[in-house]
Amino acid sequence: MPYSLVSAATLGFDLVRLPAGRAVADALLTGLAADVPALEQLAAVHPAAGRDREQRAALAVRARKARELAAAVPHLRTAADVAPGADRAAALVAQLERSTIGDAVAVERVLREDVLGPEHPAAALVDEAVRDAAADVLADAAVGAWAAAVLPPLVRRQLTGPLLLATSTGVPTTPVLDLGPATGKLAELLTGLRSLDAVGRARWMAAVDASRAERRPWAAAMHEASWAAHVSGRTRTLATAQLLAVRAFLDAGFDAPAAAAGAWNAVAGCVQAIVMADLLGSDALAVLFSPRPGAVPR
């Protein structure tokens, strides 16, 4: 399945279940936050910078082989069929705990074509060579983190090291979001998530279970919010909010089983509702906010 910024909540669902998914989110957020100086700094740490032709060719081969290895990350399309007589729902949840919807190719495409695509405010202001080199650094880091569980440690460090170097010297990793009146509500949600303990996580899961029992049309409400973001020119804003929610979700201590059981969908729904509240009807907002403990802002 290809990712896009329009479907950032789906990408987020994969990231919160990957061992190094937070680092993938960091690479994407760094791209979203990058201004001209940041793109130039990213390009400057490209592994091929200052290398001769032979060395550059060797680096290109290494990057290609790493991407071939990344294909070994478990994917839903390669998941085993449910055995006859097995609990289908339980089997699906088990598959969701360990298998992704997208793959490394899809996450690299969304970084290069969507995050750093035509709508990026700074990418068009730098030379094409600078833009391409910055994209390489971010894409290598995203792929290295995405496939952290299957890549040899040395290969992973080679892919992720340049971005770590760039961010250690001041390249910003968090875009500034201005949502107007909703800015405080999103900050409250994310801060509340980061402060959760075991009791708080249990409250979220109880709210998820209660909402599931009501069989509300969550997918339709999510689509309505994504479409509203698209037609209003706020897709990048909504995607940024969802990626920030990935960080907060992991800081909250939720694990892959909790994400697969509905905790991520609950958080992602609240993010959609907060960011797009001014363009959604009351029914959609009620659905998106339904799987939340009472402390989450309406």
Side-chain angles (χ1 to χ4, degrees):
M1 172 183 174
Y3 296 126
S4 72
L5 290 184
V6 174
S7 60
T10 301
L11 172 57
F13 180 56
D14 278 350
L15 298 187
V16 296
R17 293 176 298 116
L18 284 169
R22 181 191 179 105
V24 182
D26 288 345
L28 293 165
L29 286 165
T30 300
L32 288 163
D35 54 12
V36 168
L39 291 173
E40 292 172 341
Q41 287 177 269
L42 288 167
V45 299
H46 193 290
R51 303 293 183 95
D52 61 32
R53 183 175 180 179
E54 183 177 347
Q55 291 172 321
R56 292 196 302 271
L59 289 169
V61 170
R62 186 184 72 189
R64 185 177 69 252
K65 289 183 176 180
R67 283 156 174 77
E68 292 171 356
L69 291 172
V73 174
H75 189 281
L76 279 179
R77 65 171 172 257
T78 60
D81 293 333
V82 178
D87 184 330
R88 186 172 182 81
L92 178 59
V93 170
Q95 289 179 359
L96 287 175
E97 289 178 13
R98 60 179 182 269
S99 303
T100 59
I101 296 171
D103 55 22
V105 173
V107 78
E108 180 166 2
R109 189 211 64 79
V110 80
L111 195 153
R112 291 182 182 275
E113 299 181 16
D114 288 5
V115 171
L116 295 178
E119 295 184 4
H120 193 286
L125 303 178
V126 298
D127 292 340
E128 183 177 354
V130 170
R131 183 173 66 250
D132 290 348
D136 286 347
V137 170
L138 291 170
D140 280 355
V143 171
W146 177 279
V150 300
L151 291 177
L154 176 60
V155 174
R156 175 173 48 82
R157 289 195 297 271
Q158 289 171 335
L159 291 174
T160 60
L163 178 58
L164 291 174
L165 175 61
T167 57
S168 71
T169 58
V171 170
T173 60
T174 303
V176 176
L177 275 181
D178 182 4
L179 304 176
T183 302
K185 292 182 179 180
L186 180 64
E188 182 181 349
L189 172 68
L190 300 184
T191 300
L193 285 169
R194 295 188 191 98
S195 65
L196 288 180
D197 54 13
V199 173
R201 291 191 296 274
R203 290 178 63 232
W204 269 93
M205 296 310 300
V208 168
D209 291 341
S211 178
R212 184 184 297 113
E214 296 176 2
R215 298 183 177 276
R216 292 174 177 259
W218 179 88
M222 289 290 285
H223 176 76
E224 182 179 342
S226 294
W227 179 249
H230 173 67
V231 299
S232 64
R234 288 151 65 180
T235 293
R236 295 174 72 85
T237 298
L238 181 56
T240 299
Q242 291 290 359
L243 291 169
L244 292 173
V246 167
R247 289 177 175 172
F249 185 91
L250 295 172
D251 288 342
F254 286 112
D255 55 15
W264 168 253
N265 284 356
V267 170
C270 289
V271 171
Q272 299 273 92
I274 290 171
V275 176
M276 302 309 303
D278 59 318
L279 295 180
L280 296 178
S282 58
D283 289 346
L285 289 172
V287 170
L288 294 174
F289 277 135
S290 63
R292 77 195 187 287
V296 178
R298 294 178 181 272

